[in-house]
Amino acid sequence: MQKDGRWSSVPSPSSGQAKFNRRPKSHEPALYREMFLVWAVCAFGFLPGIPPRVAAQSSADKIVHIHCGSLIEGKTGEARSNVTVVVKNDRVSEVISGDAFPGAANTIDLSQETCLPGLIDTHTHVLLQGDVTAADYDEQLLKQSTEYRAILATVNVRRALEYGFTTIRDVETEGAGYADVDVKRAINEGVIPGPRMQVATRAMDVTGAYPLLGYAPNVPVPHGVEVVDGADEGRKAVREQISHGADWIKVYSDRGYRVREDGVLDDIPTFTAEELKAIVDEAHRERRKVASHAIGLHGVHNSVEAGVDTIEHGDYIADGDLKTMVAHGTYYVNTIYVGDYVAQGRAAAGAPVWVKMLSIHEDTFRRAMKAGVKIAFGTDAGGFPWTENPAKEFAYMVKWGMTPGQAIRSATSTAAELLGWSDQVGSVETGKYADIVAVAGDPIKDITLLEHVNFVMKNGVVIKHP
Ligand SMILES: [Zn+2]
């Protein structure tokens, strides 16, 4: 999150991460299995968009049958009852109707559960511990070392995985440099548990627009972004961030929100059109995509005109810009829950506009759905503390007019498309990563069940079991 407010809360040490790793056959060297998994995730994690090779069948293949009471496979958002998912090593090898292997020793019995693809959150900040107010934010940047923040991030990614998010896009470190690249690496190398990640590193904003702000001119303070002015500096920053591991480029396109008399959410644009276009052009030349924090009228308009790939937050989007988003295929990552979470605290700290923004956001969300904009699930976790389950977002999306099936698709197949990983994640299908979660009951009837994921498998490895 950011812009005119932040918050705080340090996660308590996570407990009870139930590991339920499949048991290797007695003749199988455990080391080989570990090495294969490490290789597989490294190959995928470091080269987004390049499918890893598929392991040849051998006696060392690990086969597990997951018997699901029902399965929502992710593309349609509809449930199919009594299904067996066959997992070979880290991939789904088959999806079969019925209890295909009754009594088999290597079966995980989820006959009382609904299985779904691993959830995907396309807007997180694993290096942030919540920021309702500016004081919360400043304290993290001024009093926590990057090293300490990275330690906290290792707890946050484990929480994300245990909540059921097997993939995330982390859209900037809020002043913690390139620590997201290291967190991703530690996950991919099997050092710590966490979701597969795409990362945006430092993000960009113009001089005087991004916290820390308000300190005496002679007091040098850190900033939550890389400060960039002018098209050339923008191009240079893109090159620099990509060279240090950025999968995405993140820009902050507006700030300073107020509601006009006609109900439009007005803002102060940050970058000029020329600057934004240069950043987008440079990122696209280097096969990276651009995520734009854009909350109000001008920020959104300038972003879609510059050709960004995703609009983050988008509390107000003019109808004309919604049309352009449909024409360009621009994704809308709406982050509703965080707005509600911070509204009262920010109003109390002198920014009542955050309370008014909720109804504007709802109207925009409904217009975006009607216009046919691609809506991808994203929460701004880290903008609220990681002790809050980001899956609370689902209930807001349904309250604002989505069907539960549509909300689930936004966090599975649509989110996978946004990441460019449709061929790897986002649905339970032959050949894709065995990223599977389950809940007790039917989330189509009660979407809040997704706040209580009780089974998590990532890469064919069970992380949590009922
Ligand atoms: Zn954010």
Side-chain angles (χ1 to χ4, degrees):
M1 189 65 164
Q2 253 339 289
K3 290 310 185 194
D4 310 338
R6 18 264 116 203
W7 49 32
S8 139
S9 166
V10 176
S12 59
S14 174
S15 60
Q17 184 193 356
K19 284 261 181 189
F20 186 78
N21 292 320
R22 288 171 291 118
R23 205 171 277 207
K25 287 174 195 161
S26 55
H27 66 269
E28 177 197 20
L31 182 61
Y32 169 82
R33 185 171 56 103
E34 297 296 330
M35 284 173 64
F36 171 76
L37 287 174
V38 167
W39 166 80
V41 291
C42 287
F44 182 39
F46 284 120
L47 298 169
I50 300 176
R53 291 156 284 167
V54 175
Q57 177 122 19
S58 79
S59 60
D61 283 334
K62 302 304 303 172
I63 308 289
V64 170
H65 311 124
I66 306 175
H67 181 216
C68 303
S70 63
L71 169 71
I72 299 173
E73 57 79 35
K75 279 191 171 165
T76 62
E78 284 166 14
R80 176 178 158 195
S81 62
N82 194 19
V83 170
T84 301
V85 181
V86 182
V87 174
K88 184 166 90 176
N89 302 322
D90 59 343
R91 301 272 176 171
V92 173
S93 80
E94 252 183 305
V95 182
I96 309 171
S97 289
D99 184 0
F101 307 93
N106 51 352
T107 297
I108 297 172
D109 179 9
L110 298 177
S111 56
Q112 302 305 309
E113 329 285 318
T114 300
C115 299
L116 305 100
L119 303 174
I120 303 172
D121 189 342
T122 68
H123 189 127
T124 68
H125 300 279
V126 300
L127 274 301
L128 200 61
Q129 316 299 323
D131 66 339
V132 173
T133 67
D136 298 334
Y137 188 77
D138 292 14
E139 171 141 351
Q140 291 179 59
L141 270 70
L142 291 171
K143 295 186 177 173
Q144 294 179 354
S145 67
T146 300
E147 292 82 356
Y148 184 67
R149 294 181 66 189
I151 291 168
L152 297 181
T154 66
V155 178
N156 295 339
V157 290
R158 184 174 61 196
R159 282 185 190 285
L161 189 58
E162 290 172 356
Y163 289 139
F165 293 94
T166 50
T167 302
I168 61 174
R169 180 183 62 152
D170 202 67
V171 283
E172 92 123 323
T173 62
E174 307 285 2
Y178 294 94
D180 53 353
V181 176
D182 293 319
V183 171
K184 169 181 155 179
R185 178 181 173 184
I187 293 168
N188 288 348
E189 294 186 356
V191 178
I192 56 171
R196 61 185 88 253
M197 293 178 75
Q198 291 185 2
V199 299
T201 73
R202 299 172 63 194
M204 300 175 198
D205 204 338
V206 300
T207 294
Y210 204 85
L212 281 50
L213 296 168
Y215 291 81
N218 62 330
V219 179
V221 289
H223 293 292
V225 291
E226 181 166 6
V227 175
V228 161
D229 295 297
D232 285 350
E233 277 192 23
R235 286 188 188 274
K236 187 175 179 184
V238 170
R239 291 170 185 170
E240 186 181 295
Q241 293 185 5
I242 291 173
S243 78
H244 293 306
D247 301 310
W248 281 78
I249 296 301
K250 165 90 179 277
V251 291
Y252 285 85
S253 297
D254 62 9
R255 67 191 179 93
Y257 310 109
R258 66 174 180 188
V259 181
R260 289 192 331 206
E261 278 184 10
D262 60 0
V264 167
L265 184 65
D266 190 22
D267 57 354
I268 300 171
T270 55
F271 292 105
T272 64
E274 185 201 1
E275 289 169 328
L276 265 184
K277 280 181 182 154
I279 290 167
V280 171
D281 178 63
E282 190 61 35
H284 287 174
R285 285 178 64 242
E286 300 198 47
R287 299 189 189 127
R288 296 301 194 281
K289 288 182 281 190
V290 179
S292 175
H293 165 114
I295 285 184
L297 177 67
H298 301 99
V300 172
H301 179 73
N302 294 347
S303 297
V304 298
E305 288 298 317
V308 305
D309 301 276
T310 66
I311 293 291
E312 310 298 313
H313 314 301
D315 292 48
Y316 177 79
I317 307 178
D319 284 335
D321 291 326
L322 288 175
K323 271 190 195 159
T324 311
M325 289 173 74
V326 173
H328 290 182
T330 315
Y331 291 84
Y332 176 28
V333 181
N334 41 274
T335 70
I336 305 166
Y337 171 63
V338 68
D340 198 12
Y341 188 89
V342 303
Q344 296 303 333
R346 290 185 180 179
V353 68
W354 286 87
V355 175
K356 292 186 198 163
M357 277 157 63
L358 279 172
S359 59
I360 294 172
H361 202 171
E362 177 174 355
D363 178 63
T364 302
F365 186 80
R366 290 180 185 276
R367 284 188 292 113
M369 269 197 299
K370 210 170 156 192
V373 173
K374 292 188 283 191
I375 298 179
F377 184 95
T379 66
D380 217 358
F384 53 87
W386 281 92
T387 45
E388 297 280 321
N389 188 335
K392 287 179 179 173
E393 183 81 15
F394 285 107
Y396 284 79
M397 295 170 94
V398 170
K399 193 174 148 203
W400 284 6
M402 270 191 166
T403 65
Q406 285 174 322
I408 289 168
R409 279 213 314 268
S410 80
T412 52
S413 53
T414 306
E417 277 170 32
L418 179 152
L419 299 173
W421 279 353
S422 286
D423 55 341
Q424 306 292 344
V425 298
S427 61
V428 179
E429 280 185 290
T430 302
K432 293 196 179 177
Y433 277 106
D435 289 2
I436 297 165
V437 301
V439 295
D442 182 1
I444 299 288
K445 289 196 183 114
D446 178 5
I447 196 72
T448 64
L449 290 175
L450 293 176
E451 296 164 32
H452 308 284
V453 165
N454 61 12
F455 172 84
V456 180
M457 169 182 275
K458 182 196 161 203
N459 275 349
V461 177
V462 177
I463 303 296
K464 185 177 181 180
H465 198 281

